[in-house]
Amino acid sequence: MINSLRGFRDLLPPESDLFTRIETAAREVFRLYGYQELRIPTLEKKELFVKSTGDTTDIVEKEMYAFTDGGGREIANRPEGTPGVVRAYIENNLGQTGRNGKYFYIGSMFRAERPQAGRYREFTQIGAEHIGNASPYADAETITMLVRLLEKVGVEGCSVVLNSLGCAECRKAYRELLLNYLRLNNTALCEPCKGRIERNPLRALDCKIDGPALAEKAPKLSLCPACTEHFTRTQELLKISGVEHQVNTGLVRGLDYYTSTVFEVRSGALGSQDAVCGGGRYDDLVKSMGGPAAPAIGWAVGVDRVAMLLKDKPAADTAPKTFVIAAAKEAGEKAFALLTALRAAGISSDFSNFELSLKSQMRSSDKSGAAFALIIGEDELKAGACSIKPLKERGEQQTIPLPDAPSHIKQLLKGLSGNPPVSI
Ligand code: HAM
């Protein structure tokens, strides 16, 4: 017996259905907001993440599944989607040829973090990136879309936390202030932070070990007038679209490319891994990766965490509506034709094995969760009919001519509890 890797898991029904439901709802929301899908590779050159996610981040320093392939190339499994989208945008000249710079992606990301509840080494993100728009309207639209998406899938009780990290200009002066403060507190820093504060002092504030103790007394970033205006405007626009949010100046985000607006959606119901979604602006990334000057904003939702929040809610009914049974050996072909006709009429239907006993097929039928068993035995075969046996609700068994079965079943389904009653 070979087990799965630690931190990698099988998604079994009904959780897998929940993932599909979340992804389907997301696709609908993306269509409403004019987003198109980008399917980007799971493997990229390692350098892509080193240069964009950042070589001082935990993701790149410690958590990447990186390896050298047979051809001596340094490769990594994507730990996040943004770098791949930016690469694809530049490589395919989407700034010129694309419709509106709005892209979404859905897929697995890989991070070698210590596994725990809500934290896996392979996890699914639904991500959105809006490239080529510097306006606060883009910030407000993106965050509103995110909140609507979470509402649509049924997530409740989340809070939206917002901050601004300013532009390169505001950060220049702040960097020196913060660096001085960190140098003075050098003995309190963890070893990795000691090594990286000169390259990226902001990382110490986001560090899981140092951050909480250092952040309180650390000098605060003061935004330049343009960044202040952008941040204020974003919040005003969020009021107009009805998105409640809180500003938290301690929100730093652990990836290097962020500028200006950053945000997270958190849920108290998730425990220590409480971020359902993270995102923000990355106005300088596209240019720094060799593309045009294209300010951008995006986010990624952790689908595994959304699924945790929805686990106890009633699941979508994925059971077949009917289960077809051949109660006589010669009835198999007719039963198979009936199954085909039901499915062609859009009625989800299943069967087990027409060559097994009636008892065994009935057992499978009970297990299937179907609303009706459709049985063809010797008598039905002679009459060119099938018997319909309700499985979920009380009711008489009835015999119906085979050609009428699909339309009759549709009528019966309409009359089931929860649906308005229909006279048959
Ligand atoms: P992130 O904050 O690293 O941002 O990840 C986004 C979300 O992915 C998190 O809020 C969380 O829900 C989920 N997530 C992260 N790591 C794990 C894990 N190990 N197991 C389960 N879920 C996890 C990004 O990835 C950025 N690319 C977001 C972005 C897009 N920013 C701009 N555009």
Side-chain angles (χ1 to χ4, degrees):
M1 167 66 197
I2 301 168
N3 295 325
S4 61
L5 289 165
R6 201 164 110 82
F8 291 74
R9 61 189 184 134
D10 303 309
L11 273 178
L12 307 177
E15 202 183 358
S16 52
D17 293 329
L18 200 50
F19 270 58
T20 308
R21 211 171 87 199
I22 296 165
E23 290 165 14
T24 307
R27 283 176 189 283
E28 258 173 61
V29 173
F30 286 134
R31 189 186 54 75
L32 268 181
Y33 282 77
Y35 277 68
Q36 291 176 291
E37 184 170 15
L38 263 193
R39 297 200 182 205
I40 45 173
T42 30
L43 288 183
E44 298 271 5
K45 288 180 185 156
K46 179 181 165 189
E47 203 190 349
L48 176 72
F49 304 109
V50 174
K51 284 198 170 153
S52 50
T53 311
D55 57 357
T56 59
T57 59
D58 281 351
I59 294 177
V60 169
E61 275 191 330
K62 307 190 283 212
E63 296 167 359
M64 269 212 295
Y65 281 96
F67 58 96
T68 309
D69 77 356
R73 287 168 286 256
E74 298 263 353
I75 283 175
N77 266 310
R78 60 182 185 193
E80 55 144 342
T82 312
V85 170
V86 168
R87 181 202 47 68
Y89 181 86
I90 301 169
E91 197 169 331
N92 298 288
N93 196 21
L94 293 179
Q96 293 298 314
T97 58
R99 186 164 84 188
N100 56 10
K102 294 179 178 180
Y103 300 99
F104 77 89
Y105 50 91
I106 300 177
S108 283
M109 306 294 154
F110 303 84
R111 296 182 194 175
E113 296 184 83
R114 197 172 51 78
Q116 65 181 83
R119 191 157 78 191
Y120 306 97
R121 292 182 166 173
E122 178 178 7
F123 57 97
T124 303
Q125 277 189 349
I126 296 176
E129 313 289 354
H130 184 174
I131 304 178
N133 190 331
S135 156
Y137 282 100
D139 301 42
E141 184 198 40
T142 305
I143 298 169
T144 305
M145 174 172 75
L146 163 64
V147 170
R148 296 290 173 263
L149 189 157
L150 293 172
E151 281 169 3
K152 190 172 175 75
V153 296
V155 172
E156 284 164 0
C158 283
S159 53
V160 180
V161 185
L162 209 63
N163 191 21
S164 174
L165 300 179
C167 61
E169 280 310 302
C170 341
R171 285 246 278 274
K172 213 183 277 169
Y174 179 61
R175 190 180 183 283
E176 284 314 306
L177 275 178
L178 182 60
L179 202 51
N180 281 338
Y181 167 78
L182 295 173
R183 281 180 189 138
L184 283 174
N185 288 280
N186 192 279
T187 48
L189 293 175
C190 68
E191 284 310 310
C193 277
K194 279 183 186 159
R196 65 191 170 199
I197 56 164
E198 300 293 329
R199 285 177 292 154
N200 184 359
L202 216 59
R203 279 288 295 118
L205 299 186
D206 185 53
C207 170
K208 287 166 195 132
I209 306 163
D210 300 337
L214 287 170
E216 204 180 316
K217 294 210 173 117
K220 300 280 175 275
L221 171 75
S222 64
L223 298 176
C224 70
C227 286
T228 306
E229 160 76 16
H230 184 100
F231 194 45
T232 312
R233 196 77 190 107
T234 299
Q235 292 174 68
E236 286 167 1
L237 294 171
L238 284 175
K239 264 199 200 115
I240 292 177
S241 62
V243 171
E244 279 181 34
H245 60 272
Q246 298 145 17
V247 174
N248 179 345
T249 53
L251 178 67
V252 182
R253 303 272 305 136
L255 299 97
D256 272 5
Y257 46 68
Y258 288 119
T259 52
S260 182
T261 313
V262 287
F263 50 92
E264 276 182 7
V265 176
R266 296 175 182 161
S267 164
L270 280 176
S272 66
Q273 300 305 309
D274 66 349
V276 175
C277 175
R281 275 207 163 270
Y282 46 97
D283 287 343
D284 305 326
L285 182 63
V286 180
K287 187 144 194 259
S288 76
M289 296 303 287
I297 184 165
W299 48 253
V301 166
V303 181
D304 303 72
R305 294 186 189 171
V306 172
M308 277 172 80
L309 292 174
L310 300 178
K311 210 168 60 233
D312 299 327
K313 297 215 166 176
D317 186 11
T318 54
K321 297 292 181 225
T322 75
F323 198 92
V324 178
I325 291 171
K329 217 166 180 221
E330 318 72 56
E333 284 186 9
K334 282 276 186 253
F336 193 59
L338 173 61
L339 194 59
T340 312
L342 288 163
R343 288 170 173 165
I347 301 164
S348 61
S349 304
D350 204 0
F351 75 121
S352 57
N353 182 342
F354 294 141
E355 287 161 1
L356 294 180
S357 68
L358 172 63
K359 202 168 153 197
S360 154
Q361 291 182 63
M362 281 304 290
R363 244 195 330 262
S364 302
S365 147
D366 287 339
K367 225 166 121 181
S368 75
F372 299 101
L374 271 56
I375 306 162
I376 307 183
E378 275 173 22
D379 292 346
E380 288 89 353
L381 201 57
K382 273 185 213 142
C386 69
S387 291
I388 301 177
K389 181 175 159 53
L391 296 174
K392 283 194 167 162
E393 312 216 329
R394 278 181 198 198
E396 293 286 302
Q397 184 163 318
Q398 339 171 19
T399 304
I400 300 289
L402 279 172
D404 300 343
S407 57
H408 193 81
I409 288 289
K410 278 190 179 168
Q411 286 301 313
L412 288 176
L413 287 170
K414 274 191 205 158
L416 283 184
S417 41
N419 298 322
V422 170
S423 54
I424 305 160

